[in-house]
Amino acid sequence: MKDKVISYFGIDKHGSTIKREILAGFTTFISMAYILFVNPTVLDAAHMDKGAVFTATALASAFGCLMMGLYAKYPIATAPGLGVNAFFAYSVVIGMGIPWQTALAGVFVAAIIFLLITVFKLREMIIDSIPQDLKYAISAGIGLFIAFIGMKSAGIIVANKSTLVGLGTFQGQTWLSIIGFVLMAVLMLLNVPGAIFIAMLVAAIIGMVTGLIPAPHQFISSAPSLAPTFGQAIKHVTDINTMQLVVVVITFLLVTFFDTAGTLVGLAQQAGFMKDNKMPRVGKALLSDSSAMLVGSVLGTSPIGAYVESSAGIAVGGRTGLTAVTTGVLFILGMFFSPLLTVVTSYVTAPALIMVGVLMAGNMARISWDKLEIAIPSFVILATMPLTYSIADGIALGVIFYPITMITAKRGKEVPPLMYVLFFVFLIFLWILQTGE
């Protein structure tokens, strides 16, 4: 059996060992296990059942990891993306007033489109059509938006009648968030694997010891039922019958598109997989994450994508699909720790949102700020995502500005045809939002 495992994953060819791959898988899981608790908290804002979302998150993540490991044979883990889940809950459900069942149907339709464009190899073509600077701006803008939500959840930022927002009063559970973030920063600077998860765990323990968080009656139980969310996406597909919802589907597609594509390429570069600036078996990797997105929508969670935390496992030597398979198995085992949901409150998860925002905001450094025709639409995306409390609005405004600034700078011929199509799509999108039709 050992020889078959080594042969199937090509462990010897990558200069690795089974022990190292399993350790890498465990490291990756510890680094991203926070999503089991953060995702239900975020989607709870959309009035989804936290227990069902917890189970859906675990199963969908496991499915994606197993696909990525067994089929694509990459040490890359998948899970519901932070950012796109915020778009799902805060922009689509809360902002647009769309029922979460219909929003799930939007994810389902986007996943089907994802699968089709992957099978017909259109995904790489579309990726190439989107200007790189706008990809960076969208990713960084989502980071700012996530950080804003995290600070709001922690009570660090509160509503202010005079200035719209202001600094909150640091007391009670807000201190848990502050302590958690400080510890998270220290651990990450010391390159401690699983820094985000460890910091959340410590904050939760401090909360229970001080009485700020009630202690759970048990730690292990059967997995929560999927009944409240399972199959709702399929049942409500017919609800996708307005231009507003069509734009929502497109936005799910684009946001997941940018996030996953960038993550896959970045991790492949870190692991040394890139050859002639191309990623081997990229089709299988893309098919794995799009399949996971489809399964996740049926189970009852927001879009699934490749996770940058996989870099932790790669850093300790993970080079084959066995790493991802190990992470997938651990996600399945994680389903039996649902009682901890009552302990991992929004104050405990807020630091993770802020820290992920920090990491994603790093993409701002890659934007061509010296070229005003690029800087203007990029800045519009960055500023409007958190200030409008909407990822969709930020993308729409930035994409609308891009052709205008490029044409004005006499660079209109450099604008890909798809961007002109998106220009009109997002104009219609904003018109629908403003008129309420």
Side-chain angles (χ1 to χ4, degrees):
M1 177 62 73
K2 180 179 178 180
D3 291 337
K4 288 183 178 179
V5 170
I6 292 174
S7 175
Y8 182 81
F9 291 107
I11 293 175
D12 285 346
K13 295 179 181 178
H14 288 89
S16 187
T17 63
I18 291 179
K19 181 180 179 180
R20 187 184 302 165
E21 294 296 311
I22 293 176
L23 176 62
F26 182 78
T27 302
T28 294
F29 176 75
I30 289 298
S31 298
M32 61 187 290
Y34 65 86
I35 196 60
L36 283 172
F37 307 103
V38 174
N39 199 46
T41 301
V42 173
L43 297 190
D44 178 56
H47 306 296
M48 294 182 69
D49 184 272
K50 288 183 74 173
V53 173
F54 177 88
T55 302
T57 299
L59 288 175
S61 300
F63 177 83
C65 290
L66 292 174
M67 277 285 292
M68 193 70 76
L70 295 172
Y71 179 62
K73 298 183 182 179
Y74 274 117
I76 298 174
T78 64
L82 277 174
V84 70
N85 63 355
F87 168 69
F88 180 101
Y90 296 98
S91 296
V92 178
V93 178
I94 297 175
M96 299 181 187
I98 294 171
W100 63 263
Q101 295 92 336
T102 305
L104 273 182
V107 176
F108 179 74
V109 173
I112 291 176
I113 298 173
F114 233 172
L115 275 170
L116 290 174
I117 62 177
T118 299
V119 170
F120 291 102
K121 299 184 178 180
L122 295 175
R123 206 164 159 189
E124 293 92 327
M125 292 172 59
I126 296 175
I127 291 173
D128 292 339
S129 296
I130 306 299
Q132 191 66 51
D133 289 277
L134 292 195
K135 291 178 186 174
Y136 292 141
I138 290 170
S139 179
I142 292 173
L144 295 177
F145 181 56
I146 291 173
F148 187 82
I149 292 173
M151 291 181 188
K152 176 178 174 290
S153 298
I156 296 172
I157 291 177
V158 297
N160 186 299
K161 292 183 179 179
S162 301
T163 59
L164 293 182
V165 294
L167 191 65
T169 302
F170 294 177
Q171 58 184 0
Q173 292 195 6
T174 297
W175 279 111
L176 286 181
S177 297
I178 295 173
I179 292 171
F181 183 73
V182 171
L183 178 59
M184 201 174 289
V186 171
L187 293 175
M188 291 188 74
L189 286 169
L190 293 175
N191 296 315
V192 176
I196 292 177
F197 183 78
I198 293 171
M200 285 174 54
L201 180 62
V202 172
I205 292 173
I206 292 175
M208 287 186 286
V209 171
T210 57
L212 292 172
I213 297 176
H217 298 295
Q218 56 184 10
F219 290 94
I220 300 175
S221 73
S222 57
S225 172
L226 276 173
T229 60
F230 184 78
Q232 293 297 322
I234 299 175
K235 292 179 183 178
H236 291 267
V237 166
T238 53
D239 293 347
I240 311 294
N241 53 16
T242 66
M243 180 55 70
Q244 182 187 41
L245 287 170
V246 169
V247 173
V248 167
V249 170
I250 293 173
T251 307
F252 274 136
L253 191 64
L254 293 177
V255 172
T256 310
F257 214 100
F258 301 143
D259 188 46
T260 297
T263 301
L264 283 175
V265 172
L267 293 173
Q269 288 176 332
Q270 178 192 0
F273 295 138
M274 299 295 285
K275 296 178 180 178
D276 299 324
N277 203 36
K278 291 185 178 181
M279 182 178 173
R281 307 187 306 283
V282 65
K284 289 186 176 182
L286 293 173
L287 191 61
S288 296
D289 73 60
S290 53
S291 298
M293 181 175 170
L294 183 67
V295 170
S297 67
V298 175
L299 293 175
T301 187
S302 50
I304 305 289
Y307 249 57
V308 71
E309 282 82 359
S310 302
S311 60
I314 293 173
V316 299
R319 290 295 182 274
T320 75
L322 183 56
T323 292
V325 169
T326 301
T327 304
V329 171
L330 290 172
F331 265 117
I332 294 174
L333 295 177
M335 286 192 300
F336 302 102
F337 292 89
S338 62
L340 295 179
L341 277 173
T342 59
V343 175
V344 187
T345 66
S346 60
Y347 290 94
V348 173
T349 58
L353 297 177
I354 300 171
M355 187 57 72
V356 171
V358 172
L359 299 176
M360 295 181 73
N363 283 301
M364 282 190 280
R366 302 181 180 184
I367 298 171
S368 303
W369 294 108
D370 57 327
K371 296 170 182 166
L372 200 57
E373 63 272 24
I374 299 295
I376 291 174
S378 296
F379 179 79
V380 167
I381 291 173
L382 289 166
T384 56
M385 275 192 189
L387 295 180
T388 62
Y389 216 67
S390 170
I391 294 171
D393 291 349
I395 293 175
L397 292 168
V399 168
I400 288 170
F401 264 97
Y402 182 75
I404 296 174
T405 56
M406 290 294 284
I407 291 173
T408 305
K410 299 180 180 179
R411 295 179 59 186
K413 292 182 179 179
E414 298 178 35
V415 179
L418 179 60
M419 292 303 294
Y420 287 111
V421 174
L422 292 177
F423 171 84
F424 290 105
V425 168
F426 282 120
L427 274 179
I428 296 172
F429 169 61
L430 291 179
W431 177 74
I432 291 173
L433 288 181
Q434 293 299 314
T435 59
E437 295 181 11

